[in-house]
Amino acid sequence: MLQKYGYTHLSAGDLLRDERKRPGSQYGELIENYIKEGEIVPVEITISLLKRAMDQTMAANSQKNKFLIDGFPRNEDNLQGWNKTMDGKADVSFVLFFDCDNEICIGRCLERGKSSGRSDDNRESLEKRIHTYLQSTKPIIDLYERMGKVRKVDASKSVDEVFEKVVQIFDKEG
């Protein structure tokens, strides 16, 4: 679907997990410890991975200059790091916010954990992640909301209903 609108999907979490597994990575163990504890990886690491992925994508095809960055920024430090590193290089058009009840999120992640192999798909890590979200990420969502840049989706609905709402948002935002 994103290709239809010209976006390249970059998942901060996937980039971190891939870097964690990369042989010889200087950040692998550090990333693993942060993820396991449900904490936010230092901004310098995440931004360097995002910027590298964006640069590689645009080097391969200069027309691919629109990105959906999944799971970032997650706190004030992330936001400041993004603004400092990407100032004049990238603009945030809007924030797609999937709003969902904590228990529904936990249930879905525990179900995913049966086959994902992710070290953070367990109740203890998930509860830590929710605490981190409320303390660190929610204020960033609120900031973007005050700027009129949040597009909210009720993610407690069915997959089809959520997808339809996302399509509506992308049809409107381009």
Side-chain angles (χ1 to χ4, degrees):
M1 181 200 67
L2 290 175
Q3 293 81 5
K4 172 183 172 183
Y5 301 97
Y7 285 86
T8 298
H9 176 254
L10 297 177
S11 164
D14 286 350
L15 290 170
L16 289 165
R17 283 184 287 277
D18 290 347
E19 182 66 19
R20 176 186 64 188
K21 291 184 234 168
R22 191 174 63 80
S25 169
Q26 60 179 326
Y27 302 125
E29 191 175 327
L30 180 72
I31 291 169
E32 172 62 21
N33 290 336
Y34 275 92
I35 288 175
K36 204 173 204 171
E37 289 302 315
E39 295 177 1
I40 296 170
V41 174
V43 66
E44 297 80 14
I45 296 171
T46 309
I47 289 213
S48 70
L49 297 175
L50 284 167
K51 189 169 183 326
R52 180 172 71 193
M54 292 169 80
D55 289 345
Q56 288 172 345
T57 300
M58 290 185 294
N61 181 345
S62 61
Q63 300 301 308
K64 290 192 169 216
N65 61 1
K66 289 170 62 175
F67 298 90
L68 178 109
I69 300 178
D70 181 347
F72 189 88
R74 292 211 172 188
N75 63 13
E76 182 65 31
D77 190 42
N78 279 184
L79 181 60
Q80 287 179 9
W82 172 264
N83 290 340
K84 180 181 170 192
T85 305
M86 303 307 273
D87 185 41
K89 298 176 189 152
D91 294 318
V92 175
S93 300
F94 63 97
V95 173
L96 189 58
F97 176 56
F98 293 91
D99 193 16
C100 193
D101 175 82
N102 291 344
E103 280 307 311
I104 292 173
C105 287
I106 289 173
R108 288 176 177 173
C109 289
L110 289 175
E111 187 61 32
R112 176 182 70 188
K114 293 176 181 176
S115 60
S116 72
R118 286 180 50 164
S119 61
D120 59 340
D121 277 346
N122 62 73
R123 183 167 284 277
E124 183 181 357
S125 290
L126 293 166
E127 286 176 357
K128 288 178 182 177
R129 287 174 62 190
I130 288 169
H131 175 75
T132 299
Y133 162 78
L134 291 171
Q135 188 176 39
S136 302
T137 307
K138 182 84 170 78
I140 301 305
I141 302 296
D142 294 343
L143 172 71
Y144 278 111
E145 193 150 29
R146 289 191 298 274
M147 294 166 67
K149 292 191 173 198
V150 172
R151 307 299 177 263
K152 196 178 288 191
V153 176
D154 180 356
S156 67
K157 305 278 188 196
S158 73
V159 171
D160 290 341
E161 289 172 298
V162 170
F163 181 78
E164 180 56 37
K165 180 65 176 172
V166 171
V167 167
Q168 290 172 13
I169 290 168
F170 275 92
D171 279 346
K172 184 178 178 189
E173 298 293 338

